[in-house]
Structures are given as structure tokens and as C-alpha cells.
Amino acid sequence: MRKSDIHVSDGVSLPAAPLPKHVLEIQEQLQKLEAELREVNKNKEKLRRNLLELTEYTYMLRVTQNFVQRSTEHETAAHSSYEEFPALEKESLMDYTCMQRLGAKLGFISGLVHYAKLESFERMLWRVCKGYTILTYQELDEFIEDPESKEPTKWVVFLVSYWGDQIGQKVKKICDCFHCHVYPYPNSVEERKNIMSGINTRIQDLHTVISQTEDYLKQVLFKASESIYKWVVQVKKMKAIYHILNLCSFDVTNKCLIAEVWCPVDDLPSIRKGLEEGSRKSGASIPSFINRIPSSDTPPTLIRTNKFTAGFQNIVDAYGVGDYREVNPAPYTIITFPFLFAVMFGDFGHGFLMSLFALLMVLYETNPKLHRTQNEIVRMFFEGRYIILLMGLFSIYTGLIYNDCFSKSVNIFGSSWNVSAMYPDGSSIKKHVNSTFLALDPNVTGVLKGIYPFGIDPIWNLATNRLTFLNSFKMKMSIILGVSHMTFGVVLSVFNYLHFKKTFNIFLVFIPEFIFMVFIFGYLVFMIVYKWLAWSAEFSKDAPSVLLHFIHMFMFATDKNNLPLYKSQFGIQVFLMVIVFLCVPVLLFGKPMYLYWQHHGGQTFASYRKGYQLVRHGSEEELSLLRSHDLEEGEDHTNSESQHEQSKETFDFAEIFMHQCIHTIEYCLGCVSNTASYLRLWALSLAHAQLSEVLWSMVMRMGLKVAPDVGVFLLMPAVAVFATLTIFILLVMEGISAFLHALRLHWVEFQKKFYSGDGYKFTPFSFHDMCLSLEREHAL
């Protein structure tokens, strides 16, 4: 069909897998169609070969006509059966009169030889025939299709004149050896004309027959194209089903197939219903059934998603698939990921453009072209459309907080700063009109009328110390968000410890980690917030440095030049540091020592079941049900004694202590580096704002500064350049950069606190995972 340029499109709906009794019908249809197509193609190929041979014969007759000339001098001397012969060259090596006395007959062999073989062909004729031949040839101007390679090839028409039958036999064998296309050579001019006339008639007839054959072939293919998608999908589904059946094993009687599979508990009723429906449709005499069996293997992880949550779950799975029943970070990532992205990408205008782009993809998400696109970039954006939408909406929110729209502030509620109150008499303000700067002191009554309702006051966009103010604000905001994010990750580890029945980790791992995080970096956040609340603009010159206090906290020292934030600050900081130092050895030695005690003489609770000891052994059915119930809860107590003995043998204190030592060092040092890593929120936000301002000042401002009569012609190109650079640099490049940084903050700083990601994904058999698109398969 593709060779005939017949478009094969995917169907509107996917056909179901055929029943076994319908397979023979499909096979019969395909065999009948195959036999018909094979016969038509065979006839078509035969006709094309005949047409090619006649075309070559025509070229040979037309070219050799120029070789042969009538010679009246030798007409009587030549044999009566030959009326035409090649003109003998004057310097020929053989004596024609001598050959005539011996009674040798003059013969001709003509045909076509490949251009690349011409030199070897001529040399072979000379050596084998010892000069008793005359070779005349001419290269064709046209390219003729090679019957073997089906490619246009350069050919040479040749005419071999020879004396004697033995020489003729040798020439024919040489022609066969070089795969020459040999055609009969006419004996007279009249015969040549008759052959040419007959060939032209046959060529016309062949063109007509080939055209009719191609039309019939297209009709057959057009008719088959209506069902080809259905057949391909059905055959692929049948092959997939048989592939899965081959993974099953036979029972003892070799009459039934047994498959051991993982299945979600909630889907058991659906599977039972599906087995019953399959048995009914197939007409099986023995119904299929399902039994639950105990297993000590770790089950796979299944996270049910929809079109909204699938993108965020893919972000988490790219780090690692969670263990069975482990806390899944994806629900929290739905909010934290776009928010941290927006902190670095905070711009109302850029966020609006990003949201508009994502909203268009959401509105047209049912378009089949978007689902079947072969462009990897378009598919990547389409699959993450809801992530892009939330990132854009959060960027609008943070852009309003920063009061930043394409590097310009928007005066929505009116500035809370009043210049006239700073200079009550007109003479004072006139003195400052010609100066470069006007100072505004918030301590002067009437200068600061209140707090701007939402976000940063737009007057800061005009201030010379704007960058200093925003840097201080964004840096402290990054620390607060980072510590909150990491602390939340540490708290989530409690749910893993509770679910997996590792209560000792709460006391020996979680509490020391939580104290270490809160007493150091939580205290840093407290000092930042306390300074904001306790020190007003009136006493801002005497405000202490939070950074110096934080450094002196580790040194157990004070600074006389730096005022304390509150009373008894030094004593409280010493108390916090002592508690932190005591938590480190607990985190380092607590878990290994407890496990050592538990495996060497300590009391074990493995032989008890929820406070009751198992004193009797029930039937096999009861034990099987008990194991099934335990498997659902992630535990198995039936073989607790043997497992406890095996754990004693495999317990390695050195390995556990080394692992805990690495974890302690990594966590303690990681808290410092991870907190500093969140400063990327400040750095990326500053870079994005500065790039926006540079782009505005270098492009748009230059276009707006020009005189009106000329600016009309320059403004439109300036707007086009500004829009292009905004999309490709600020939206695409900066967006990808902020996306990757937000990804790193979630993988390293957040998920590492509670998420191991050592599981494997539940991948059930599904037709949706197969490539059932003919268009996509052809593109691949």
C-alpha cells in the first residue's frame, strides 16, 4: 500500500481481540488476499520485465543500424545468407580472403552490457577469440533500469562480428559470463523494419496491460486498506496474548495453564468477572478461577494516577520507584514543585504566557493529532501540560508578590509612600528637584501611610536600593522555604516507620534528625522572623545581624558590637547546641546498638501476633488465609521462628554500623549544604528579574525613545524582537533552567529525607502499552 502511495490511517476505535473461533476467518481472509496480491504482483512483474526487454531490444536495433553499412565490394564474396556485415577495418589482424577460402561463415551477436563491465568484456573477447572477432559498441544516452537491482543503470550497446561457429559459441559463452542482454540480430533491412514495427506495437500493448493491472491492484489495495488497521490490531493482540500464555506453566495433568501474577486487591472482583466472561465467550468446558497464594517476595508498587497527576508521578518515578507501601511524595509535589519553580520564575507577564500556552493544550487534549504526534518535543510538552499550567499559575502569584511584570511594577492599589509629606514646604522640595535622588524616611510622619495590600510596593521599582532590598527579602524567604520543605520531608519519614513496624527508628533516627534540623536551622528561621517583628524602621540602624548571631551560636561566643535579639539569647543558644551535639551520637550508635541487642539475646516480638501468642496450628486452609491477611499488611508471622533464626545468621553489625555512620555524616553535613542549596531560589529569581530588565532596556526602551515620526516604523520590529527573545530566552531557556533546579530540590533536598525509591513498578499486561498505531509504526 505504501509503495502505491495509498494512505493507511488509524481507525477511530481499537478493535477487540478476536475470539479463537474467529481467528480462522481472519486467517482465511488474509490468505486469500495474499494469494491474489501475490498473483497480481507476479503478473505485473512479468509484464514489466517483458517491457524492459522490448525497450532494450529497441535501443539495440536503433544503435546497431549505425554500425552496419552496405558494402557492394564484398556482397558477392560474402556468404549468400548474410546481406549485411560490419565494415572491415583496414588494419584488421585477420585476412578476410583467407577466411572465405576456408568456408567460414560471417555471424553477428548483439546486445547490451553493463558500462562497468565493458573493458573486461572487450579484453576477454580479444584473448579468447584470438582476434577472430570485431567488437563495435556505443554508450546509450538514457539510463535503463537494471532488472536485478531495480536501479537506473548506464548500459552499452555492442555488436560482435565473428567468423565460424566455434568462435560464435565462445562469444555466446562470454556474453553469458558477463550477464549481457543478448538479442537476435536481423539479417536484412526489411527484417529490421518488420521487427521494429512489431516491437513498437507490443510495447504499446504492454503499456495498456500494465496500466490496467496497476488500476486493478490499486482497487484491491484500496479495498484492503479499509480493513488493514483492524487486521493489524487484531493480529498484534493475538500475538501478545499468546506471548503471555507462553509464560504460564502447565499443571500436573498438562490440561490447564497456571499463571502466578501480582494483582491489586481492589481489582480481584474485576479479574474474577473477566475470567468468567472469558470462559463464557470461549465456550470452555472448564471455567477459569483465581486463588490467592502467600508469597515472601516484595510486591511491586502501583500508584493509580489520572491525566492530572500522571505528570507529577513521572517526576517522582524518574528518581526511583517507591518501595511497596512507602510514602509517595507525588501528592505533595503537585503543590511544592510548581511553587518552588514559581519562586525562581516569578513574573506576572511570563507566568500568564506560560499558563495560556498550557491552557490551550489542556483545552485541545482530546485532539488525536496531539496524541499521535511523532515530534518528541511536542509530545514532552503535551504530556506535561498540567505541570506547565500549574507552574504558570504559581508564577502569576509570585509575580504579583514581587510586583514584577516584564521587569516593570504595576501600581494596582496605589503606593503607600508619600513624597510631599517628606518636604512639607515647597521651598525644600524645589531644592531637591534638580538633584538626582529624593530620600524617603519612613520615620517621618505621613511618609509611609500604611502597608501595601498585596506584594511589594511599586515605588521600589524606582528606588536606587531596590536590588539590595529585594536581595535581602528573597534570600531570607529562600531560607524559610527551604527549612520548611526539608523539615516536612523529615516528618514524613515517621509514616514509613509506623507502617513498616520499625518503631525504634522513630526514637533512634527520626527524633535526633528532627531535633538537629529544628534546633539549628529552625532556630535560624525563628531569628529571621523575630527580627522582622521586633525591629521596626525606627530602630533599623541598630538592628543586629542574624548571620553573625548564627555564626557565634556555633562558636559559643558573643559579639559586643552586635546587640542581642532578645534576653537570655546566649543561654538558649548554648542549650540548643548542647542538645544538638547529644543527638549526633544517638543517631550514630542508637540504631546499630539496638539491632545488636535485639539479635543477641534481646526479647523479640516476632512470635506474637498483635499481643497474642499463636498456641495452636489450624488447618492448612486457615494458615493460608492467615498468610494472605498478613501479606496485605506487609508482614508474615507464620514463619517467624525460622525467619528470626535466619536473621541471626545473616546479621552483620559492622555493615549496619557502617551504613548508619554514612547516613549520619550525610544527614548532618547535608542539612548545611541542602539549606545553602535552597539559596538557588534567590539566585534564579534575581537572574530572571535582571534578564527581563536588560531585555526591556535594550529593546523596548530603545524603540520607545525614538521620535514619534520615526518610532512608528521602529516600534513594530522592536516589539517583534522583544516578543521573540522573551519566548525563547525568558520562557523556554529560563523555564527549563528553573524546572531543573526545582527538580533537584525535590530529588535531593526533599525526597532524600524519607523516600528510598528502591522498588519496582507494577507493569500489568495491557493492550494500551503496545504500539497499535500504523502511522507511528511507519514513522519509527
Side-chain angles (χ1 to χ4, degrees):
M1 291 179 184
R2 287 166 183 152
K3 288 181 179 179
S4 302
D5 295 330
I6 297 177
H7 179 66
V8 181
S9 60
D10 297 341
V12 180
S13 59
L14 289 174
L19 296 176
K21 57 185 178 182
H22 296 156
V23 173
L24 294 178
E25 299 178 3
I26 299 177
Q27 182 180 358
E28 184 180 354
Q29 291 177 348
L30 293 177
Q31 287 178 345
K32 183 179 179 181
L33 178 61
E34 181 190 9
E36 185 176 8
L37 291 176
R38 196 179 293 274
E39 183 67 23
V40 174
N41 282 327
K42 184 178 179 181
N43 294 335
K44 179 183 174 183
E45 186 64 25
K46 187 176 180 180
L47 291 173
R48 289 178 60 86
R49 187 176 290 273
N50 292 338
L51 178 61
L52 181 61
E53 291 177 354
L54 293 178
T55 304
E56 291 180 353
Y57 199 6
T58 303
Y59 283 124
M60 190 273 295
L61 292 175
R62 189 180 65 205
V63 173
T64 54
Q65 188 175 5
N66 301 326
F67 296 165
V68 181
Q69 297 177 356
R70 265 195 157 348
S71 179
T72 55
E73 297 179 2
H74 303 91
E75 185 174 357
T76 57
H79 195 273
S80 59
S81 61
Y82 293 93
E83 297 182 1
E84 295 181 358
F85 54 90
L88 299 178
E89 297 182 1
K90 297 180 180 179
E91 299 180 359
S92 177
L93 295 180
M94 58 182 147
D95 189 350
Y96 177 75
T97 306
C98 180
M99 295 299 299
Q100 188 240 347
R101 287 199 191 111
L102 295 175
K105 295 181 180 180
L106 180 63
F108 303 97
I109 294 179
S110 60
L112 282 78
V113 64
H114 197 282
Y115 179 78
K117 301 177 182 180
L118 177 62
E119 186 176 353
S120 302
F121 177 67
E122 185 177 8
R123 188 181 300 112
M124 183 64 70
L125 282 175
W126 174 262
R127 292 178 178 177
V128 173
C129 299
K130 300 178 180 180
Y132 290 98
T133 57
I134 298 177
L135 175 64
T136 310
Y137 58 85
Q138 181 179 337
E139 182 181 342
L140 290 178
D141 297 332
E142 298 85 356
F143 285 85
I144 302 178
E145 180 183 343
D146 189 351
E148 302 298 333
S149 62
K150 306 297 183 182
E151 295 180 358
T153 310
K154 198 72 172 176
W155 294 89
V156 175
V157 175
F158 67 89
L159 177 63
V160 180
S161 305
Y162 63 89
W163 283 269
D165 294 337
Q166 293 183 355
I167 301 296
Q169 294 297 327
K170 292 181 180 180
V171 172
K172 291 180 181 179
K173 290 181 180 180
I174 294 174
C175 292
D176 294 338
C177 179
F178 281 87
H179 301 285
C180 299
H181 300 171
V182 179
Y183 298 98
Y185 186 77
N187 297 327
S188 62
V189 177
E190 189 68 26
E191 184 181 358
R192 182 187 298 272
K193 292 181 180 180
N194 294 335
I195 294 175
M196 287 289 292
S197 176
I199 290 177
N200 291 332
T201 304
R202 291 180 60 188
I203 288 177
Q204 293 178 0
D205 296 340
L206 283 175
H207 278 297
T208 305
V209 175
I210 290 176
S211 176
Q212 294 176 354
T213 304
E214 290 179 350
D215 293 340
Y216 176 75
L217 180 62
K218 283 189 176 182
Q219 292 178 2
V220 176
L221 292 177
F222 270 119
K223 185 177 180 181
S225 64
E226 300 174 358
S227 306
I228 188 66
Y229 178 70
K230 176 183 177 181
W231 291 337
V232 169
V233 172
Q234 287 180 331
V235 170
K236 284 187 176 182
K237 287 186 175 182
M238 284 190 295
K239 291 177 66 177
I241 292 173
Y242 280 108
H243 173 70
I244 296 299
L245 292 177
N246 289 334
L247 300 177
C248 302
S249 57
F250 285 99
D251 66 338
V252 181
T253 60
N254 290 333
K255 294 182 179 180
C256 297
L257 286 176
I258 300 176
E260 296 184 5
V261 299
W262 290 110
C263 169
V265 177
D266 296 340
D267 293 342
L268 284 174
S270 301
I271 291 182
R272 289 194 178 96
K273 182 178 179 182
L275 290 174
E276 294 174 358
E277 185 71 13
S279 300
R280 183 184 62 81
K281 287 184 177 181
S282 61
S285 58
I286 302 177
S288 302
F289 56 90
I290 182 172
N291 287 331
R292 299 174 63 178
I293 58 176
S295 176
S296 58
D297 297 335
T298 303
T301 301
L302 170 63
I303 304 296
R304 300 184 188 273
T305 59
N306 52 36
K307 60 183 181 181
F308 177 77
T309 60
F312 297 96
Q313 187 63 50
N314 290 334
I315 292 177
V316 175
D317 291 343
Y319 174 81
V321 180
D323 289 340
Y324 180 64
R325 305 300 293 271
E326 187 181 20
V327 172
N328 182 25
Y332 318 107
T333 305
I334 294 176
I335 299 300
T336 59
F337 185 86
F339 177 70
L340 292 183
F341 171 88
V343 171
M344 297 179 280
F345 197 77
D347 189 288
F348 176 82
H350 299 157
F352 176 76
L353 294 178
M354 183 176 290
S355 302
L356 185 63
F357 171 70
L359 185 61
L360 289 176
M361 289 193 294
V362 170
L363 294 177
Y364 291 95
E365 63 182 5
T366 56
N367 191 340
K369 292 183 179 180
L370 292 176
H371 290 274
R372 299 173 183 174
T373 179
Q374 304 301 322
N375 193 318
E376 293 293 336
I377 297 178
V378 175
R379 187 185 303 174
M380 178 182 64
F381 280 112
F382 178 71
E383 291 177 353
R385 58 192 180 279
Y386 289 100
I387 301 178
I388 300 175
L389 178 62
L390 286 186
M391 291 192 305
L393 294 177
F394 276 91
S395 297
I396 294 175
Y397 170 73
T398 55
L400 291 174
I401 292 179
Y402 297 158
N403 203 345
D404 203 355
C405 179
F406 298 112
S407 77
K408 295 298 170 185
S409 297
V410 182
N411 193 358
I412 302 176
F413 305 102
S415 177
S416 300
W417 293 78
N418 186 11
V419 181
S420 59
M422 189 71 186
Y423 307 99
D425 54 336
S427 60
S428 299
I429 194 170
K430 287 180 182 179
K431 296 179 181 179
H432 294 81
V433 167
N434 296 327
S435 63
T436 307
F437 306 105
L438 291 176
L440 298 181
D441 188 357
N443 295 320
V444 177
T445 305
V447 174
L448 187 61
K449 296 181 292 185
I451 301 175
Y452 195 70
F454 186 80
I456 296 176
D457 197 294
I459 200 172
W460 282 104
N461 192 48
L462 305 175
T464 56
N465 60 338
R466 169 177 175 266
L467 197 58
T468 305
F469 167 73
L470 290 179
N471 280 344
S472 176
F473 164 71
K474 292 181 179 180
M475 180 180 64
K476 295 173 181 177
M477 177 194 65
S478 301
I479 296 295
I480 295 174
L481 293 176
V483 173
S484 304
H485 199 210
M486 290 189 296
T487 305
F488 179 61
V490 174
V491 172
L492 287 178
S493 63
V494 177
F495 298 97
N496 284 332
Y497 299 147
L498 291 175
H499 173 74
F500 292 111
K501 310 299 181 182
K502 296 180 179 180
T503 313
F504 64 92
N505 280 335
I506 298 178
F507 300 99
L508 301 177
V509 178
F510 164 70
I511 293 180
E513 288 180 350
F514 184 78
I515 292 176
F516 188 91
M517 176 68 71
V518 173
F519 280 20
I520 296 181
F521 301 100
Y523 179 71
L524 175 61
V525 173
F526 165 75
M527 288 193 294
I528 293 174
V529 177
Y530 185 82
K531 181 182 177 181
W532 282 343
L533 299 177
W535 300 84
S536 62
E538 183 179 357
F539 307 100
S540 59
K541 294 182 179 180
D542 301 326
S545 173
V546 174
L547 181 60
L548 292 178
H549 277 299
F550 190 64
I551 294 174
H552 292 150
M553 176 180 173
F554 289 92
M555 302 174 62
F556 295 96
T558 57
D559 188 1
K560 295 181 180 179
N561 299 326
N562 195 21
L563 296 177
L565 286 171
Y566 55 91
K567 295 180 180 180
S568 305
Q569 179 183 357
F570 178 73
I572 293 177
Q573 291 181 171
V574 171
F575 171 75
L576 294 178
M577 292 305 300
V578 170
I579 299 299
V580 167
F581 288 150
L582 292 176
C583 288
V584 175
V586 175
L587 184 62
L588 179 61
F589 299 104
K591 181 178 178 180
M593 296 301 295
Y594 174 80
L595 294 176
Y596 181 83
W597 170 80
Q598 187 182 32
H599 289 80
H600 294 80
Q603 185 181 5
T604 177
F605 300 95
S607 59
Y608 293 90
R609 176 176 173 81
K610 297 182 180 180
Y612 297 93
Q613 187 176 8
L614 185 62
V615 296
R616 72 175 181 86
H617 296 284
S619 62
E620 293 296 330
E621 183 178 359
E622 292 175 351
L623 289 176
S624 177
L625 292 175
L626 181 62
R627 293 190 188 100
S628 303
H629 185 270
D630 290 339
L631 281 172
E632 295 178 20
E633 299 181 354
E635 56 182 347
D636 188 0
H637 300 287
T638 56
N639 297 325
S640 58
E641 295 295 336
S642 60
Q643 291 178 0
H644 182 59
E645 294 296 332
Q646 183 180 2
S647 61
K648 278 186 178 182
E649 298 176 0
T650 58
F651 178 76
D652 189 353
F653 177 78
E655 182 180 354
I656 293 177
F657 178 76
M658 184 60 66
H659 182 273
Q660 188 64 23
C661 181
I662 295 174
H663 172 75
T664 303
I665 297 174
E666 184 181 9
Y667 178 81
C668 295
L669 297 180
C671 286
V672 180
S673 63
N674 292 347
T675 304
S677 180
Y678 276 93
L679 292 177
R680 70 183 69 237
L681 299 175
W682 160 47
L684 267 293
S685 176
L686 174 64
H688 187 79
Q690 290 301 307
L691 280 175
S692 300
E693 187 173 354
V694 168
L695 188 61
W696 177 274
S697 60
M698 294 187 66
V699 180
M700 287 299 295
R701 186 178 295 175
M702 298 297 293
L704 294 172
K705 278 185 176 181
V706 184
D709 53 348
V710 183
V712 174
F713 302 99
L714 295 180
L715 190 58
M716 292 303 294
V719 172
V721 173
F722 178 77
T724 303
L725 295 178
T726 298
I727 292 175
F728 287 99
I729 296 180
L730 296 180
L731 286 180
V732 179
M733 294 180 61
E734 280 288 306
I736 294 176
S737 175
F739 179 89
L740 295 177
H741 282 284
L743 196 65
R744 180 246 155 77
L745 291 177
H746 279 78
W747 282 358
V748 180
E749 279 73 22
F750 175 59
Q751 293 180 187
K752 211 171 184 180
K753 301 293 186 297
F754 67 97
Y755 186 70
S756 62
D758 295 332
Y760 63 100
K761 198 171 184 179
F762 177 64
T763 53
F765 170 73
S766 175
F767 292 130
H768 296 288
D769 298 332
M770 300 169 54
C771 182
L772 300 178
S773 174
L774 294 180
E775 298 175 355
R776 183 180 301 177
E777 182 180 359
H778 178 57
L780 294 176

